[in-house]
Amino acid sequence: MPSPEVNLSYPLFHQRCLQLNEAILKKSGQPFFSFEEGLPRDWENYKKKVCEEGRKRLAVDEWTEDEIGSGQIIRRLIAAIEIDIPNTDTTNNLIESGKRYGEQTRSHRSLYEALHDPGVTRSYEQLIYDLFKEKIPRDRAFQGFIDHAGKIYDYIAYVFFLYRPERYAPIKTTHFDRAFSMMGIPLKTARKCSWENYQAYLAALREVKKALELDGFVDVSLIHAHSFCWMLEHLVKETSGDLISIPLPEEVKVLGPVPTDRKNRDPDQNRRTPNGPIDYEAQHRKNIFLGRCAEYIAFRAEIRRLEMAGRPDLAEQVNIVSKNAALGYDIKSYDETGEERYIEVKAISGGNTRHSFYLTQNEWRTCTRLKNYYFYLVSGAKTSEPKIHFFKGSRLTEGHLTPSEYIASIPYARE
């Protein structure tokens, strides 16, 4: 089953990062730059410890098929859930344990109930055994837990977290629905416990993980993305109105003359910064993040433009297609008449009189082939008030292009 598509607003995500950093700095006196330092570590590192302790208590490698039906596997899973080690931060609050509101509210009560019926004990332990020994498809295992426990989302997700912590994550639906909303992710998980919804939830976490990596964080895991959402929802208040002011695209009326003083870029001129050599990998991540921000801003601007033109039907069809690089453009949109508009988005910086951007050979060819091809130049893509200027691709000529890189093809023959 392919992973569901999840769209995250990169510019909104960046603004939320800034807000969270401000909140963490105010609360702890230290900035937010790592999940392994300061308040994020103090608050969230327990999740790894709970998982490690839970897997240790499960001791899956020691399981044998002869144990199925004995109740031993269920008791091990109960122990892997009810983790509360005194005088440590290793306490499991990833699911409802029943401590606050009584045993009947604990999410894993079906495990206790199963121990009173030998037939249920056997079928439940067969399911648990098959999941952890990888003898059953995971979607069938998820449904099996629903059949035994009901749609108890936090309990089932926690079991899958114990099974493969690098791939699965726990969930508390109300908190994560709010966090996703704060980042522009249109996903609801509350009262929607199913394998399909869980996959969408995990896809959203992976998108957050990717955004964190592109925005400068290193060694980010899925559980770090989980922690980011949790801290965001707890420390940052949702604000009324939009954090990002989406502008209407402004057309460049006059494309200035081609400058005559251009020089080809010296490949060695930017190899160092005042503080030493450039970290090209980090710079590449920053460029991708900036591009994603610009892309989303242009996407939202197109929706707004068509809605204001009285074409909400076309606004609903605007789509980001940049994952298919072969197309040669980033957004498929429409003119007010319904004619398709192909948009290549470029994040730019600098003054208002001259801008430059990179253009691939495929983008240039597509620009010359499609008559309704546009360049959207987005400035201030990581600010709350970006700007968009656009012009039709047919106005760009070869005279505007300056070679900056070359491909060396060297044929040789063996002697």
Side-chain angles (χ1 to χ4, degrees):
M1 175 183 174
S3 297
E5 191 78 15
V6 174
N7 290 320
L8 174 149
S9 168
Y10 275 78
L12 182 55
F13 171 85
H14 181 68
Q15 295 302 313
R16 293 302 189 193
C17 275
L18 295 178
Q19 287 183 317
L20 182 56
N21 181 61
E22 183 178 349
I24 290 175
L25 184 62
K26 183 177 180 180
K27 196 170 190 68
S28 68
Q30 292 181 290
F32 174 38
F33 59 87
S34 169
F35 289 92
E36 304 299 334
E37 302 286 342
L39 187 143
R41 177 200 59 200
D42 297 342
W43 274 18
E44 299 296 308
N45 202 44
Y46 78 93
K47 295 174 184 176
K48 295 179 183 178
K49 296 178 181 178
V50 165
C51 184
E52 290 169 359
E53 179 65 23
R55 287 169 63 85
K56 178 181 175 181
R57 294 184 182 191
L58 280 176
V60 174
D61 291 342
E62 299 176 8
W63 294 4
T64 66
E65 290 193 64
D66 293 339
E67 288 183 284
I68 297 173
S70 68
Q72 188 61 32
I73 293 176
I74 285 179
R75 291 187 181 91
R76 286 178 187 248
L77 183 52
I78 290 173
I81 292 171
E82 297 179 353
I83 299 172
D84 188 3
I85 302 175
N87 303 317
T88 73
D89 61 352
T90 311
T91 299
N92 186 9
N93 68 354
L94 298 172
I95 74 171
E96 179 55 55
S97 64
K99 283 185 176 181
R100 290 181 297 175
Y101 307 114
E103 293 181 355
Q104 288 304 309
T105 66
R106 57 190 175 197
S107 297
H108 61 294
R109 61 187 177 274
S110 61
L111 293 172
Y112 283 96
E113 293 166 355
L115 292 173
H116 298 296
D117 186 323
V120 177
T121 297
R122 174 166 288 279
S123 64
Y124 212 158
E125 290 196 327
Q126 185 71 62
L127 171 65
I128 299 167
Y129 181 92
D130 287 347
L131 171 63
F132 281 89
K133 293 291 188 178
E134 300 190 336
K135 293 181 177 292
I136 185 175
R138 288 178 285 273
D139 57 342
R140 281 179 52 197
F142 196 97
Q143 184 58 49
F145 277 96
I146 290 177
D147 294 340
H148 278 282
K151 294 187 174 183
I152 312 297
Y153 215 157
D154 63 337
Y155 159 58
I156 300 173
Y158 179 74
V159 172
F160 273 77
F161 177 52
L162 290 179
Y163 161 58
R164 293 286 293 274
E166 75 282 359
R167 179 176 293 183
Y168 301 106
I171 187 172
K172 285 196 175 178
T173 57
T174 303
H175 298 290
F176 280 85
D177 285 358
R178 284 201 293 263
F180 289 154
S181 175
M182 292 172 73
M183 293 180 283
I185 299 176
L187 174 66
K188 298 297 181 183
T189 62
R191 294 180 293 279
K192 294 183 179 296
C193 179
S194 69
W195 177 249
E196 292 74 18
N197 188 262
Y198 189 47
Q199 291 305 295
Y201 164 73
L202 294 171
L205 285 186
R206 288 193 294 270
E207 192 68 15
V208 172
K209 175 180 179 293
K210 183 193 303 179
L212 285 166
E213 291 169 338
L214 294 176
D215 208 18
F217 289 84
V218 296
D219 298 326
V220 182
S221 66
L222 194 66
I223 201 63
H224 287 146
H226 183 281
S227 293
F228 176 85
C229 295
W230 184 265
M231 291 189 296
L232 179 67
E233 191 271 338
H234 278 70
L235 289 177
V236 176
K237 293 181 179 179
E238 286 196 72
T239 54
S240 58
D242 294 329
L243 279 178
I244 310 296
S245 175
I246 300 297
L248 285 172
E250 299 179 28
E251 186 173 7
V252 178
K253 298 297 184 181
V254 178
L255 216 60
V258 180
T260 59
D261 60 342
R262 293 174 303 157
K263 294 181 181 180
N264 289 355
R265 174 174 294 187
D266 180 355
D268 293 319
Q269 67 180 359
N270 290 322
R271 292 286 176 102
R272 297 183 65 84
T273 68
N275 297 320
I278 291 178
D279 184 341
Y280 285 104
E281 185 176 343
Q283 187 62 49
H284 180 63
R285 288 196 300 268
K286 289 180 181 178
N287 290 341
I288 293 176
F289 187 89
L290 187 64
R292 295 279 176 85
C293 289
E295 192 176 87
Y296 187 85
I297 290 165
F299 167 69
R300 296 298 306 173
E302 277 300 282
I303 292 174
R304 183 184 173 201
R305 177 181 65 82
L306 288 168
E307 287 176 341
M308 292 184 67
R311 296 303 306 265
D313 57 323
L314 295 177
E316 291 180 356
Q317 300 179 53
V318 177
N319 194 22
I320 297 175
V321 295
S322 56
K323 289 185 178 179
N324 186 356
L327 290 176
Y329 53 89
D330 296 318
I331 296 173
K332 184 178 179 181
S333 186
Y334 299 87
D335 289 341
E336 293 86 341
T337 61
E339 186 176 2
E340 292 179 343
R341 174 179 287 203
Y342 310 98
I343 298 171
E344 175 61 28
V345 182
K346 300 296 182 182
I348 61 171
S349 60
N352 296 321
T353 58
R354 181 186 299 183
H355 296 295
S356 61
F357 53 85
Y358 285 99
L359 194 65
T360 68
Q361 187 177 57
N362 184 45
E363 290 164 358
W364 170 243
R365 287 175 176 173
T366 307
C367 165
T368 58
R369 179 173 55 85
L370 297 176
K371 69 172 185 176
N372 223 25
Y373 189 100
Y374 288 82
F375 288 99
Y376 276 43
L377 311 183
V378 181
S379 57
K382 291 174 69 174
T383 70
S384 59
E385 295 186 353
K387 300 292 183 184
I388 304 174
H389 292 88
F390 74 94
F391 61 90
K392 205 162 187 178
S394 58
R395 296 171 65 190
L396 191 71
T397 69
E398 289 192 10
H400 291 103
L401 306 182
T402 303
S404 63
E405 293 181 0
Y406 299 89
I407 296 177
S409 298
I410 306 173
Y412 67 94
R414 295 183 179 180
E415 296 182 358

